[in-house]
Amino acid sequence: LRGLRCVVLPLIFVSIAVSVMDMLGLGEAGSIVGKTIGLYMLTTLTAAIIGVVMSVSFSSFYTLKDGQGEVVTPDIMLGCTTNGEDAITSYLTEMGDGSVSCVTGGDAGQASTFRVDDINGYFAVSTKATGPAKLSISESLRDGLFYQLVPNNFVGAFADANFLGVIVLSTAVAVALVKLEKNMPDEVMWTRILTIQIIEELVHVFMMIIDWIIFVTPFAVTSLIAGAIGEQKDLAEVFTQLAWLVAATVVGLVAQFLIVYCGLYLGFIRSNPFKYYAQMIPAYATAFGGASSAAAIPQSLACIKKTGQVPDGVASFVIPLGATINMDGSCIYIVCGAAWMAYQNGIVPTAGEY
């Protein structure tokens, strides 16, 4: 999984750049981008609505638990002396006869811990269930969208796994390269843009590397799941509650596929959608086994190319973009998971909170 995260972002960068350059060469970039973003927004909106419907429908099966967190009392240790580096070397300690004296840190023990009775509420008393942070819509848009779209560091966008920032940067690089190729500066000696060829070669290089990584990914995913299950104490209760969450998510995914995807295909293509989607089964299997839609990009591109229904330039743009920002399945799961976790913490979501 670490290997996938390492390679997927560079693959997205070069794939988007190549597809944008191809579309600019055909003069259809604006039309394709507009239609793609519009469809992505529509399917994501319907996914969110389906997620809410599934959460409300299955909420009666969730167990409403006590949401009170465990109070963390204010315990303190009082230092007596320090060394030259301001590190505490001895603590005030209660002796066996009830008196107190300073004892070195290694010998202090439990008798050096004192509990504060905060009668006027001067000290903060924390709990292990502090609740979610409150963010306004403007703060969410600023921090979650605009700051992501415009990174303040080119390399930092890759280091921080900023998918939106990488897509914006790759688009900008592609546009600049196309314009440079069409308007070659007079003062330069070179006659072609080698950067374009390098980017096209990197697409094939990264796809080859991802194929190697995907081969061992199912073993890694199985190990992670087994480790998470082994840490649970009451497996029966965990599986019972998780089963309803899984059921709500799966029913939502099926509804999204049958109603939205098949409906859109019938509306635009006017043919049997199941024949087309059946050709994408290897991509579905890769995404499921690798637990990552981004990791399935190479397989998705290969499946679409075999159908012969989508131009390569369009597929190279739509697939990497959709795998990173149009995750309808994640949208349904996040809505269902948020409602499920609310019940696990003693919160019944209201209509406004949904």
Side-chain angles (χ1 to χ4, degrees), residues 269-339:
I269 309 300
R270 306 287 184 180
S271 63
N272 186 352
F274 296 103
K275 290 183 178 179
Y276 177 80
Y277 290 128
Q279 300 177 76
M280 303 298 297
I281 290 178
Y284 304 152
T286 302
F288 181 81
S292 172
S293 55
I297 289 176
Q299 190 63 259
S300 300
L301 290 171
C303 291
I304 288 182
K305 187 173 184 179
K306 288 181 180 179
T307 65
Q309 295 182 238
V310 183
D312 291 344
V314 175
S316 297
F317 174 76
V318 172
I319 293 299
L321 183 64
T324 52
I325 69 172
N326 184 233
M327 295 182 286
D328 298 337
S330 296
C331 180
I332 294 173
Y333 170 72
I334 288 171
V335 175
C336 293

Side-chain angles (χ1 to χ4, degrees), residues 7-22 154 158 166-167 169-171 173-174 177 195-207 210 297 301 313 316-317 320:
V7 180
V8 163
L9 264 179
L11 172 62
I12 291 173
F13 179 87
V14 294
S15 297
I16 293 289
V18 169
S19 60
V20 170
M21 287 187 290
D22 290 342
F154 195 106
F158 290 88
V166 169
I167 291 171
L169 291 172
S170 64
T171 303
V173 169
L177 287 173
T195 307
I196 296 177
Q197 180 180 338
I198 292 173
I199 291 177
E200 292 174 344
E201 292 173 353
L202 286 175
V203 172
H204 298 282
V205 170
F206 288 130
M207 283 187 174
I210 284 184
I297 289 176
L301 290 171
S316 297
F317 174 76

Side-chain angles (χ1 to χ4, degrees), residues 29 39 42 53 56 133 148 167 174 182 217 244 305 346 353:
L39 282 173
L42 174 62
V53 172
V56 174
Q148 299 293 319
I167 291 171
K182 291 181 179 180
T217 296
W244 293 116
K305 187 173 184 179
E353 289 171 335

Side-chain angles (χ1 to χ4, degrees), residues 71-101:
V71 176
V72 181
T73 55
D75 292 342
I76 61 172
M77 295 179 68
L78 303 175
C80 296
T81 57
T82 61
N83 58 17
E85 299 177 355
D86 292 332
I88 298 176
T89 56
S90 64
Y91 295 90
L92 192 64
T93 305
E94 182 180 7
M95 310 306 292
D97 58 359
S99 62
V100 292
S101 63

Side-chain angles (χ1 to χ4, degrees), residues 65-139:
K65 295 185 178 181
D66 183 11
Q68 296 297 324
E70 179 184 350
V71 176
V72 181
T73 55
D75 292 342
I76 61 172
M77 295 179 68
L78 303 175
C80 296
T81 57
T82 61
N83 58 17
E85 299 177 355
D86 292 332
I88 298 176
T89 56
S90 64
Y91 295 90
L92 192 64
T93 305
E94 182 180 7
M95 310 306 292
D97 58 359
S99 62
V100 292
S101 63
C102 292
V103 177
T104 56
D107 301 327
Q110 186 65 28
S112 297
T113 302
F114 298 89
R115 178 158 298 175
V116 177
D117 186 5
D118 191 10
I119 59 176
N120 62 354
Y122 182 81
F123 297 102
V125 179
S126 63
T127 66
K128 292 184 178 179
T130 57
K134 301 294 184 180
L135 288 177
S136 64
I137 295 179
S138 60
E139 289 174 330

Side-chain angles (χ1 to χ4, degrees), residues 220-240 242 246:
V221 173
T222 303
S223 300
L224 290 175
I225 295 174
I229 292 175
E231 294 175 356
Q232 302 298 326
K233 296 180 180 179
D234 189 355
L235 286 178
E237 175 66 16
V238 170
F239 280 123
T240 300
L242 283 178
V246 171

